[in-house]
Amino acid sequence: ARPVRIAAQIFPYGDGRHLLLSRDITALEQAEAMRRDFVANVSHEIRTPLTVLVGFVETLQTLPLDETERARYLALMAQQGARMQNLVEDLLSLSRLEGSPPPGLEEWTPAQLLLAHCEQEARALSARILPADAAPHSFHFPDADSLQAAGELAGNRLELQSALSNLVSNAVRYTPAGGSIRVSWQRQQDGSARFAVRDTGVGIAAEHLPRLTERFYRVERSRSRDTGGTGLGLAIVKHVVQRHGASLQISSQLGQGTEFAVLFPAARWRATADATPAVPN
Ligand code: ADP
């Protein structure tokens, strides 16, 4: 059982009598503890790249380096800078998502655009993180015909785009060279639409699954960092999915691969409106 925390105050009001006021502050204290954890996490995430960055600046200032070494240091500094930039971008997205919903949650966005964006991101990321001599990832995306028929989703385009491409990026980041990544888009019997990303990557042990969408929760820190992860991606996905009335499904087998799927309810999907509206007579 969780301990309950009570705050009490006693007020004397004459005749030797007292008034006791008590309040259950369990939830308040929990919220406060979560806030403290969050601030500690953010500080830690910023401190690490900053320390590296400052160290490199000092090296550049004090050591006589040749051109090649200088270039190498500058590249590493740029990498640390980019890491902090990603973190700040993700923090801002998260704080927007925890606020009130933006306008445009009911606008229609062609699923085709979202899928095309995912494909671009995935291929670019894979080219960036795999060594040049490694076996490439093999990608499978819906073909042109299925894209034509993919219909439209009700929602904020930028939010949907960031959520779906986060899932695809994770598949790329957690799948070793030579593995495959398959993105599918399907209409279900009940009219809902299912977006899924299946990879043949490292997989996730069952005990981690319930906590994956928590802010800064990572199964393996080094792999996450080395591939540019902030630990906030799935927290962002969870918020976007929630406020679009959708649900996130995760299934995984350690060492075999993982599937993340987003299920959009029927009310949020429609077949693509006819591009050439009937001329009124
Ligand atoms: P990160 O930036 O660390 O990837 P996320 O919030 O996107 O943060 O994901 C949280 C954790 O979930 C990751 O650190 C990783 O351990 C795990 N994870 C996410 N996607 C996958 C995947 N496709 N395969 C294996 N592990 C994954």
Side-chain angles (χ1 to χ4, degrees):
R2 284 210 316 260
V4 173
R5 301 269 296 163
I6 305 287
Q9 275 178 299
I10 296 174
F11 301 96
Y13 69 97
D15 298 347
R17 289 192 296 176
H18 293 82
L19 177 68
L20 174 72
L21 276 187
S22 69
R23 200 155 63 100
D24 179 352
I25 55 164
T26 320
L28 202 70
E29 288 208 338
Q30 269 166 3
E32 178 56 22
M34 271 176 68
R35 196 195 60 80
R36 268 200 311 271
D37 271 3
F38 182 64
V39 172
N41 271 322
V42 171
S43 312
H44 181 77
E45 295 292 331
I46 292 175
R47 186 170 62 183
T48 316
L50 208 52
T51 308
V52 178
L53 206 51
V54 171
F56 284 156
V57 170
E58 283 167 2
T59 310
L60 284 177
Q61 283 172 330
T62 50
L63 287 186
L65 298 173
D66 65 27
E67 271 311 305
T68 326
E69 285 171 320
R70 266 180 77 81
R72 199 170 63 87
Y73 273 92
L74 288 171
L76 289 169
M77 287 164 69
Q79 206 178 23
Q80 297 303 317
R83 193 171 139 191
M84 286 193 285
Q85 235 167 6
N86 287 344
L87 177 66
V88 170
E89 289 304 324
D90 278 359
L91 284 169
L92 286 172
S93 301
L94 205 56
S95 100
R96 271 194 300 271
L97 285 164
E98 286 171 351
S100 50
L105 272 187
E106 305 305 328
E107 275 163 21
W108 291 97
T109 292
Q112 184 176 8
L113 285 186
L114 299 170
L115 292 163
H117 183 262
C118 285
E119 178 162 1
Q120 267 173 17
E121 293 259 305
R123 290 186 189 277
L125 179 64
S126 166
R128 204 162 62 233
I129 64 173
L130 285 188
D133 55 353
H137 286 131
S138 67
F139 287 104
H140 308 271
F141 281 90
D143 59 21
D145 282 347
S146 339
L147 285 179
Q148 278 296 318
E152 299 184 316
L153 276 182
N156 181 283
R157 180 176 305 182
L158 289 179
E159 286 189 7
L160 290 172
Q161 200 161 287
S162 99
L164 302 188
S165 52
N166 244 308
L167 296 178
V168 181
S169 304
N170 278 353
V172 172
R173 293 171 47 232
Y174 296 103
T175 300
S180 82
I181 291 133
R182 179 178 297 276
V183 172
S184 61
W185 175 259
Q186 277 174 332
R187 286 274 287 155
Q188 309 285 99
Q189 294 263 306
D190 63 359
S192 58
R194 187 173 193 269
F195 167 91
V197 189
R198 180 183 282 274
D199 65 53
T200 59
V202 296
I204 306 164
E207 78 241 39
H208 295 290
L209 294 179
R211 299 195 56 193
L212 281 191
T213 60
E214 285 176 22
R215 302 179 293 194
F216 296 118
Y217 189 84
R218 292 164 164 131
V219 177
E220 203 194 321
R221 268 173 196 276
S222 57
R223 184 182 282 271
S224 160
R225 295 239 173 80
D226 292 349
T227 54
T230 61
L232 296 174
L234 290 179
I236 291 175
V237 171
K238 182 187 81 177
H239 281 288
V240 173
V241 163
Q242 265 174 4
R243 73 178 179 191
H244 285 82
S247 57
L248 182 65
Q249 302 168 335
I250 313 175
S251 57
S252 187
Q253 198 114 47
L254 194 58
Q256 303 284 304
T258 305
E259 185 190 75
F260 280 88
V262 182
L263 204 63
F264 293 95
R268 296 217 150 243
W269 185 90
R270 70 175 186 193
T272 306
D274 195 342
T276 51
V279 181
N281 47 19

